[in-house]
Amino acid sequence: MWGETFDDFESEERELAVAKQNFMHEPANMNFTFPSLPLGIQPVEFMNSHFGATAAKNMKFRKGTTTLAFVYEPATPADKGGIIVAVDSRASSGEYISSKSVMKILDIGDRMVATMAGGAADCQYWTRIVAKYCTLYELREKTPITVSAASKYFANALFGYRGKGLSVGSMVAGYDKKGPQIFKVDSDGDRCSLKVCSVGSGSLNAYGILDNHYKPKMTDEEARKLGLRAIMHATFRDSGSGGVCNLCHITPTEKIRLPPMDVSKLWYEFADELGRDIVYDPRE
Amino acid sequence: MSNFTGITATMNPLAEMAQFKQNMREVAASPEWRTSKLIERQRWNPYSMEGGSTAAISGDNFAIVASDTRMTQNDINILTRDAEKIHVLNDSIILSTSGFYGDVIQLRKVLQSRLHKYRFDYRADMSADLCAELLSRNLYYRRFFPYYTGAMLAGIDENGKGAVFSYDPIGCIERLGYSASGAAEPMIIPFLDCQIGHVTVAEDYEKPPLTIERAISLMKDAFRGAAEREISTGDKIHLVIAEAGKPIVQKFLPLRED
């Protein structure tokens, strides 16, 4: 800076340089470290004994979920196609339902969502971190981040805490320049691209419905109904899932969030549609 | 050693002694009489549970928070009858807590210093929405050594509406109309679900609007009900009422003392 005058270096330019210095560099990998237990105390065992199955009722962490997402192509030109993301809304701590209205579809940017399964706080926090990264990426590169890049950042962040007891099962879904994509990311550091995907305690039930009725080409109406139906059946058979069904439809141009549907009302709706009870009576 | 007479050693005495020492070492390492409860008790435990319950209700232009003022140890031994579990952080933010009081004090200190810094930096009080996110993060920062608290944040948000935020010990945040935390949570919530959420009544049932008077009387009912049936809840209700555009009012109401 010595030997320079104001004429050499316009104040505006100088401000820009400073701003670049401060904001435009590759953001440092989070330099924050979580305070940890004293040496010699095993974190996972410690957490289990104070916040796990034997903990006081209201000290357990919130968890339990069914989430699903699938990609489909429009069957007719009138349909939009894209991705359907459907989730339930129950958070249980032990046997107690601590919330029945959780929003498990979290936004990452305008075109992307992440679903939350496993530890609720873990998912909320890390999705925030990913969302922050994506926003900074977009500002820096002047192009929206791809789903694959975002999910890879997510997986890498989680991999850094592998074995520490995090519990995250998330699906990062969205539309980017490569088209509709779903990536399943979990706290073991696993990350894979899938077309039909379900995560959580009720995922097996949801897969049953999805695999039975999924077609690569569907109308929007069919696709939304499939999402609702799979969630409804999962909540019906899995005690860890319930509440309302939140549904998000990501089309090539927009993200549509549908109003929440009560699953116990959905049950009767689908029963009416079939003209019979959905479950058979074993005595008949 | 059934034929051992005391006169003729059937085993090499040195080997016998070695065996004895080995057995002694094993039994000292994990004595058979150490029950799982004893093992549990000897484990490092930095927390203690000081009981109590809190609840909060939000309405169109108000938020009310209540807690009992009893502090117990191990649910049995009453430490004090006027503990302060509701902390008024500024004119629009109220923090209410249950759980380990040591962590509660630490958490309050962290929030107060951040609020102070915010006031210093921006020359305005932090709004309830911002503080809610701040609390969520601060709870999560202790992910591997959590605060042993069931926290709730209530207040008047930026739009002048009542707000209640509920958390789990590691900062899972949710904005709700009403919430409770602590020992009597499983008793208070169903009552509020019935009276405010109207989840148990038919659709065509006439639902009374939630006024501040009704919210206060429901809150009193909830705590009186809980005090009847929950051992670590009692003594006094600490009621804090925040109404948009009015100063925060604090009240103490008597409760069962047994």
Side-chain angles (χ1 to χ4, degrees):
Chain A
M1 289 290 158
W2 298 113
E4 275 177 0
T5 62
F6 282 103
D7 303 328
D8 303 332
F9 216 91
E10 292 281 323
S11 66
E12 238 169 77
E13 265 180 74
R14 190 160 37 177
E15 269 169 29
L16 192 71
V18 171
K20 274 185 180 170
Q21 273 270 305
N22 288 340
F23 300 112
M24 298 303 277
H25 61 80
E26 174 80 19
N29 212 352
M30 214 173 62
N31 51 9
F32 171 77
T33 49
F34 288 94
S36 60
L37 292 163
L39 281 177
I41 309 290
Q42 294 299 317
V44 178
E45 195 191 324
F46 177 84
M47 297 295 271
N48 277 337
S49 67
H50 293 290
F51 301 91
T54 58
K57 214 153 229 158
N58 46 353
M59 280 302 163
K60 289 173 190 165
F61 299 150
R62 295 176 184 172
K63 56 185 187 184
T65 291
T66 309
T67 63
L68 66 88
F70 57 86
V71 177
Y72 73 101
E73 280 165 31
T76 59
D79 297 315
K80 296 187 192 108
I83 307 172
I84 296 283
V85 183
V87 298
D88 75 322
S89 73
R90 177 172 291 183
S92 46
S93 35
E95 306 98 73
Y96 179 67
I97 299 172
S98 53
S99 178
K100 50 194 176 113
S101 55
V102 188
M103 191 33 157
K104 291 185 186 174
I105 306 178
L106 307 169
D107 281 326
I108 302 181
D110 301 334
R111 311 288 306 282
M112 231 187 292
V113 296
T115 64
M116 107 190 190
D122 287 338
C123 291
Q124 285 186 344
Y125 180 82
W126 289 107
T127 305
R128 259 301 170 81
I129 298 290
V130 175
K132 180 179 111 182
Y133 177 81
C134 295
T135 313
L136 286 175
Y137 180 98
E138 197 169 328
L139 288 170
R140 195 171 63 241
E141 310 289 338
K142 298 177 185 65
T143 168
I145 194 167
T146 58
V147 182
S148 126
S151 67
K152 189 157 240 177
Y153 178 79
F154 197 175
N156 286 341
L158 292 174
F159 189 82
Y161 290 89
R162 208 165 116 105
K164 296 253 182 128
L166 292 193
S167 158
V168 176
S170 183
M171 292 182 294
V172 183
Y175 237 95
D176 60 19
K177 60 188 177 193
K178 297 178 197 159
Q181 301 211 60
I182 301 170
F183 280 89
K184 185 185 147 221
V185 175
D186 73 23
S187 48
D188 295 334
D190 179 22
R191 166 180 169 270
C192 50
S193 165
L194 293 162
K195 290 285 172 212
V196 180
C197 182
S198 175
V199 184
S201 53
S203 64
L204 299 176
N205 309 290
Y207 268 133
I209 301 299
L210 275 181
D211 290 341
N212 222 350
H213 298 290
Y214 174 77
K215 286 170 286 182
K217 285 194 175 174
M218 280 187 279
T219 62
D220 289 347
E221 185 62 29
E222 262 183 309
R224 286 176 186 183
K225 212 151 215 179
L226 174 57
L228 288 177
R229 185 180 286 257
I231 289 296
M232 189 279 283
H233 276 94
T235 55
F236 191 66
R237 279 289 176 195
D238 172 39
S239 51
S241 315
V244 294
C245 178
N246 285 306
L247 204 134
C248 180
H249 184 182
I250 306 171
T251 67
T253 50
E254 60 190 329
K255 187 158 76 185
I256 309 162
R257 274 177 188 274
L258 274 74
M261 307 270 255
D262 193 329
V263 287
S264 55
K265 282 187 190 124
L266 278 178
W267 194 87
Y268 292 108
E269 223 169 85
F270 284 123
D272 282 347
E273 199 181 291
L274 290 173
R276 62 171 172 83
D277 270 0
I278 284 188
V279 281
Y280 66 97
D281 186 343
R283 282 162 300 185
E284 275 170 14
Chain B
M1 292 211 294
S2 56
N3 56 352
F4 179 69
T5 58
I7 301 165
T8 325
T10 56
M11 264 174 86
N12 176 8
L14 281 177
E16 204 176 343
M17 199 61 206
Q19 184 62 43
F20 177 79
K21 280 188 172 170
Q22 172 66 24
N23 289 348
M24 197 64 184
R25 233 176 283 130
E26 274 171 21
V27 85
S30 66
E32 279 174 28
W33 57 87
R34 273 215 330 172
T35 57
S36 58
K37 207 167 189 179
L38 210 70
I39 296 172
E40 180 66 41
R41 208 173 296 162
Q42 284 168 356
R43 198 171 286 162
W44 186 63
N45 185 359
Y47 301 128
S48 90
M49 187 63 182
E50 266 117 30
S53 351
T54 71
I57 300 173
S58 68
D60 273 344
N61 63 340
F62 67 88
I64 63 169
V65 188
S67 82
D68 65 321
T69 58
R70 174 177 291 185
M71 183 195 275
T72 61
Q73 198 164 39
N74 302 322
D75 277 355
I76 301 293
N77 182 22
I78 297 179
L79 294 172
T80 170
R81 291 184 189 279
D82 34 32
E84 206 173 286
K85 290 176 204 162
I86 303 183
H87 313 281
V88 178
L89 296 178
N90 69 23
D91 294 341
S92 63
I93 306 173
I94 303 157
L95 171 72
S96 73
T97 49
S98 65
F100 177 34
Y101 205 67
D103 279 349
V104 167
I105 291 169
Q106 173 68 17
L107 189 60
R108 184 185 62 184
K109 202 192 275 177
V110 167
L111 280 183
Q112 275 176 340
S113 67
R114 289 299 299 270
L115 255 64
H116 186 79
K117 185 170 181 295
Y118 185 94
R119 220 179 132 72
F120 189 80
D121 288 348
Y122 298 97
R123 299 186 181 201
D125 272 335
M126 194 185 271
S127 71
D129 314 45
L130 284 178
C131 192
E133 293 295 330
L134 180 70
L135 176 56
S136 164
R137 298 211 138 211
N138 275 295
L139 288 169
Y140 195 86
Y141 287 154
R142 296 283 298 262
R143 173 66 177 79
F144 301 113
F145 187 5
Y147 291 119
Y148 202 66
T149 54
M152 271 190 318
L153 201 82
I156 306 296
D157 71 3
E158 284 162 353
N159 307 320
K161 297 227 173 349
V164 171
F165 297 89
S166 130
Y167 302 86
D168 80 343
I170 50 167
C172 163
I173 180 175
E174 196 188 0
R175 186 172 176 167
L176 295 163
Y178 53 90
S179 178
S181 96
E185 177 184 358
M187 302 164 115
I188 294 175
I189 285 288
F191 174 70
L192 296 182
D193 269 341
C194 173
Q195 294 292 323
I196 302 174
H198 301 297
V199 293
T200 55
V201 296
E203 299 219 329
D204 53 353
Y205 176 80
E206 194 194 335
K207 288 156 189 150
L210 185 65
T211 58
I212 190 161
E213 290 79 21
R214 184 171 139 80
I216 290 169
S217 74
L218 283 176
M219 198 61 114
K220 289 179 195 166
D221 285 350
F223 272 87
R224 285 186 185 135
E228 293 285 333
R229 292 283 174 182
E230 215 279 318
I231 52 173
S232 65
T233 303
D235 293 327
K236 267 184 284 183
I237 307 176
H238 184 189
L239 196 63
V240 180
I241 303 156
E243 210 175 339
K246 287 184 189 171
I248 286 174
V249 183
Q250 302 204 34
K251 276 183 198 166
F252 287 93
L253 304 155
L255 210 59
R256 287 183 78 91
E257 300 208 345
D258 54 359

